[in-house]
Amino acid sequence: MLMARDMARSLDPVLFARDCGIEPDPWQQDLLRDRPRKALLCCSRQSGKTTTTAVVALETACHVPNSLVLIGAPAQRQSGEMLRKVRECHSRMDGAPELPGDSVLKLEFANGSRILALPGDAKTIRGLSAPALVIVDEAAFADDDLIQALRPMLAVSNGQLIALSTPNGKRGWFYEQWHSGDDSWRRFRVPATDCPRISKEFLAEQLRELGPTRYAQEYELAFVDTEDAAFSTAIIDSMFTNEVLPLWT
Ligand SMILES: Nc1ncnc2c1ncn2[C@@H]1O[C@H](COP(=O)(O)OP(=O)(O)O)[C@@H](O)[C@H]1O
Ligand SMILES: [Mg+2]
């Protein structure tokens, strides 16, 4: 039988987050409560996007029996890092559900739910089926093949998809969905100035250290041309457009 506190937790994910030791920021509360089927999080470094999504993962595993939660990222080191945050949240919960299976890349719950940290290589993840939740951390840096391999898995389960990242240039799946994707996405935009834990002094220091372009990318969510790219996006685009005259003759 569910106790009153468990009932309240399962009705309000913000209470669940507090039980994990996190007082969610307003946008974090929105993500937790609204549960959009498709969410894009374009957020500054250190804004708490990995942590909040880890809470969503844990909440799903606890409240949906036999659910499969998949964490993808450019590399397993990063998906494993999010799983570590899930484990941290779990360890802070009072009366947390038991974890009969707990390993570096996998959490297995007594209710049959599983959370897996995937490798970044798409070829190795085929065959997983019907996830309740798919997460792609640092999505702008992930291989587009990884996303293409994960998307069809959601077709049957009608599960939730959350892709989170800082920008990484004007290219790739995350950039395209953020700028040109349809409105089936709920978009969360969190520049550093919206994060109460990042001070003005720290940002001023980062601006000096990184220079304006990198700073704009990491903290102001600008999709800028990578500084070390041989050609800027505008030049590359013009090479694919017939109306533009050749730059070199
Ligand atoms: N709502 C919050 N309250 C307190 N600390 C938070 C909150 N959200 C995130 N943090 C902390 O901020 C730091 C950065 O969070 P993280 O999720 O790693 O950020 P990101 O993935 O956006 O770079 C971590 O130490 C995390 O525990
Ligand atoms: Mg992160």
Side-chain angles (χ1 to χ4, degrees):
M1 206 181 73
L2 282 175
M3 290 177 16
R5 195 188 54 183
D6 295 327
M7 286 285 276
R9 262 182 193 165
S10 65
L11 291 173
D12 187 355
V14 170
L15 297 181
F16 184 91
R18 285 183 190 140
D19 278 345
C20 299
I22 292 154
E23 178 56 47
D25 299 340
W27 75 269
Q28 298 177 337
Q29 297 197 13
D30 279 354
L31 176 69
L32 287 160
R33 285 199 172 126
D34 280 12
R35 256 325 136 77
R37 205 175 58 79
K38 293 165 70 186
L40 294 172
L41 279 50
C42 186
C43 307
S44 153
R45 247 162 237 279
Q46 293 295 306
S47 57
K49 55 193 177 303
T50 300
T51 305
T52 315
T53 312
V55 174
V56 178
L58 181 58
E59 215 250 298
T60 303
C62 289
H63 293 151
V64 184
N66 300 307
S67 58
L68 174 64
V69 176
L70 301 176
I71 305 176
Q76 203 150 40
R77 184 184 55 75
Q78 289 149 312
S79 58
E81 185 60 22
M82 184 181 286
L83 194 68
R84 210 174 56 78
K85 291 216 156 129
V86 175
R87 193 179 290 110
E88 244 172 64
C89 290
H90 176 271
S91 70
R92 289 198 216 102
M93 278 170 72
D94 256 358
E98 269 178 66
L99 291 177
D102 180 356
S103 60
V104 183
L105 300 174
K106 179 156 100 176
L107 295 181
E108 282 181 296
F109 295 73
N111 68 359
S113 293
R114 290 177 298 155
I115 307 180
L116 310 185
L118 302 174
D121 178 3
K123 284 189 226 66
T124 58
I125 65 171
R126 294 183 192 271
L128 293 164
S129 72
L133 169 62
V134 169
I135 294 164
V136 185
D137 199 357
E138 303 292 354
F141 298 84
D143 195 336
D144 282 0
D145 288 348
L146 176 74
I147 316 239
Q148 300 319 333
L150 289 168
R151 285 305 313 264
M153 295 179 191
L154 290 163
V156 176
S157 58
N158 200 30
Q160 188 184 14
L161 172 60
I162 307 177
L164 50 148
S165 197
T166 45
N168 179 32
K170 294 182 184 351
R171 60 188 146 77
W173 178 87
F174 185 80
Y175 167 72
E176 281 154 23
Q177 295 307 314
W178 181 257
H179 278 271
S180 328
D182 60 29
D183 53 15
S184 61
W185 291 103
R186 170 98 200 259
R187 292 171 173 79
F188 293 81
R189 186 179 182 281
V190 186
T193 44
D194 285 2
C195 177
R197 288 168 301 281
I198 303 179
S199 71
K200 279 203 193 91
E201 292 71 27
F202 175 78
L203 289 178
E205 193 183 289
Q206 284 291 287
L207 176 58
R208 283 193 301 275
E209 272 175 33
L210 299 176
T213 311
R214 277 287 308 278
Y215 177 86
Q217 170 169 293
E218 308 294 328
Y219 295 103
E220 296 174 328
L221 312 176
F223 286 82
V224 293
D225 290 310
T226 18
E227 284 159 296
D228 55 358
F231 303 104
S232 79
T233 314
I235 292 177
I236 292 169
D237 282 347
S238 72
M239 300 203 292
F240 291 99
T241 311
N242 293 329
E243 290 106 70
V244 177
L245 293 171
L247 289 163
W248 302 281
T249 46

